[in-house]
Amino acid sequence: MTAGILARWADRLPSLGPATPRLSLGEGATPLVAAPRLAAAIAPGVDLHLKFEGQNPTGSFKDRGMVLAVAKAVEAGAHAIVCASTGNTSASAAAYAARAGLQAFVLLPKGAVALGKLAQALQHGARVLAVDGNFDVALRIVQDLAARHPIALVNSVNPHRVEGQTTAAFEIVEAWGEAPDALAIPVGNAGNISAYWLGFQRAVTAGAATRTPRMLGFQAAGSAPIVRGHPIDDPHTVATAIKIGRPASWRTAVAARDESGGAIEAVSDEQILRAWSQLARLEGVFCEPASAAGVAGVAQMHARTPFAPGTRIVCVLTGHGLKDPDRAIACAPTLAEVAADITAVERALLG
Ligand code: AN7
């Protein structure tokens, strides 16, 4: 197991002190892979790369922020942590709580969490409740709960979460000795786009890069409060991870967009699922549907006004495809059955 982000990036994490436990499940150091076949399909000429955050220990980018948030909770003497979640935060919180010997409490929006994520939270021993309401309602409740009890809140309103997530930007800069031209990323509660922007700025301050990228954020069309300019009371999308109507980091996401000369746009569920399928079939990368929003967004922008040839864009693939096996199976043709016989198999496969 690698040492993880607290060991690797100690000098870039201001809140990490000598008394902070160096907790790790081997998070970070995720693949940054070129995607030429996908680029040819959606944005010819673009130098497209994928930062596959599904390779983190619990299968999503959440581990980067969670390891620091839980380490700081341990340092502060907490015995329990709590979060609301569309799924990935809860899986990560449950795993790092187990690793650190803490109790995790989790509130999930009833019926709106992908199967793999729920399995993780339960298997790691979190106390899980399905709230009769959406993510935004659950987040408000856990904030109240953390205010009334000695339980550390580990949603991205916790600044240690955002700080830990800056390390993904450091890794991208480290790979090239410079920032890319643009970063394309799904936006839900808006913590991650805020973290990348902070990370790229800190990389420049540290002398690791000379410039920052344009930040391109993408919300699902049915859950696009930042694009619409107002909260959405009843958000909907197949990309359950980003089914969020009142993003906690709304203002910092807008600042990241504006300060970077970027954009935050909406992409339809159809566009998201198409990009999700193209990632799997053209590049062999299986991410969860929400993670494909950045790719869908690059395709949308390129179709409207092509990026200049050679523009280097990194799409952040935030979570692993195995998180949501139900969606993959629902989108696939029905499995054909065949007799246990070579002739029958030949006929079925080769026509
Ligand atoms: C795969 O787990 O909000 O904009 O509670 O799981 O930082 O919220 C998940 C969010 C993108 C959006 N992709 O990131 C949660 C949760 C995946 C995600 C996002 C999430 P933010």
Side-chain angles (χ1 to χ4, degrees):
M1 183 177 293
T2 60
I5 63 148
L6 301 190
R8 172 63 189 87
W9 298 106
D11 59 338
R12 297 263 188 95
L13 298 170
S15 71
L16 196 70
T20 315
R22 278 1 185 218
L23 188 65
S24 173
L25 283 169
E27 60 291 325
T30 54
L32 178 61
V33 296
R37 281 162 49 78
L38 181 63
I42 67 161
V46 167
D47 183 19
L48 192 67
H49 295 259
L50 311 171
K51 182 68 171 161
F52 189 32
E53 290 288 282
Q55 293 277 30
N56 277 295
T58 77
S60 86
F61 73 98
K62 303 287 183 181
D63 295 341
R64 295 178 184 275
M66 197 57 68
V67 69
L68 185 56
V70 173
K72 293 301 286 184
V74 171
E75 183 181 351
H79 296 288
I81 61 172
V82 66
C83 67
S85 182
T86 59
N88 280 324
T89 296
S90 71
S92 188
Y96 283 89
R99 184 80 172 162
L102 307 182
Q103 176 65 52
F105 298 107
V106 165
L107 264 61
L108 303 176
K110 192 172 81 182
V113 171
L115 191 68
K117 305 173 188 182
L118 179 59
Q120 289 176 289
L122 294 169
Q123 177 72 1
H124 289 302
R127 275 202 224 148
V128 181
L129 296 177
V131 177
D132 189 10
N134 63 31
F135 168 82
D136 305 292
V137 171
L139 180 58
R140 215 170 315 146
I141 296 172
V142 295
Q143 286 178 300
D144 289 346
L145 198 72
R148 292 159 72 138
H149 302 275
I151 306 174
L153 181 65
V154 297
N155 281 104
S156 57
V157 291
N158 177 331
H160 302 309
R161 280 279 313 282
V162 169
E163 185 177 317
Q165 287 172 210
T166 60
T167 58
F170 301 159
E171 290 176 13
I172 292 170
V173 165
E174 185 182 45
W176 289 314
E178 188 54 283
D181 296 306
L183 185 97
I185 185 169
V187 173
N189 215 20
N192 210 24
I193 190 172
S194 305
Y196 271 90
W197 180 235
L198 183 61
F200 284 119
Q201 290 176 299
R202 286 186 176 169
V204 169
T205 305
T210 65
R211 58 190 173 87
T212 51
R214 291 177 66 198
M215 303 297 291
L216 309 177
F218 299 96
Q219 302 193 292
S223 310
I226 298 175
V227 179
R228 312 282 176 233
H230 57 80
I232 306 290
D233 287 330
D234 186 21
H236 56 89
T237 168
V238 292
T240 52
I242 54 172
K243 192 170 147 187
I244 295 174
R246 293 173 185 270
S249 299
W250 187 318
R251 261 184 291 174
T252 47
V254 167
R257 176 193 71 191
D258 296 344
E259 291 168 17
S260 74
I264 298 181
E265 299 189 354
V267 284
S268 69
D269 281 2
E270 193 187 345
Q271 288 173 287
I272 290 172
L273 292 176
R274 188 183 313 131
W276 173 65
S277 172
Q278 286 172 314
L279 278 158
R281 287 163 186 242
L282 297 176
E283 297 294 353
V285 176
F286 188 23
C287 63
E288 64 174 285
S291 302
V295 173
V298 168
Q300 169 168 287
M301 291 184 79
H302 191 80
R304 197 171 55 221
T305 313
F307 291 100
T311 301
R312 178 171 276 177
I313 304 179
V314 173
C315 292
V316 182
L317 305 184
T318 45
H320 203 287
L322 293 174
K323 295 275 191 174
D324 194 356
D326 289 336
R327 178 62 53 188
I329 289 166
C331 289
T334 312
L335 206 58
E337 294 186 13
V338 68
D341 170 81
I342 181 70
T343 314
V345 170
E346 276 175 338
R347 202 177 310 124
L349 286 184
L350 310 172

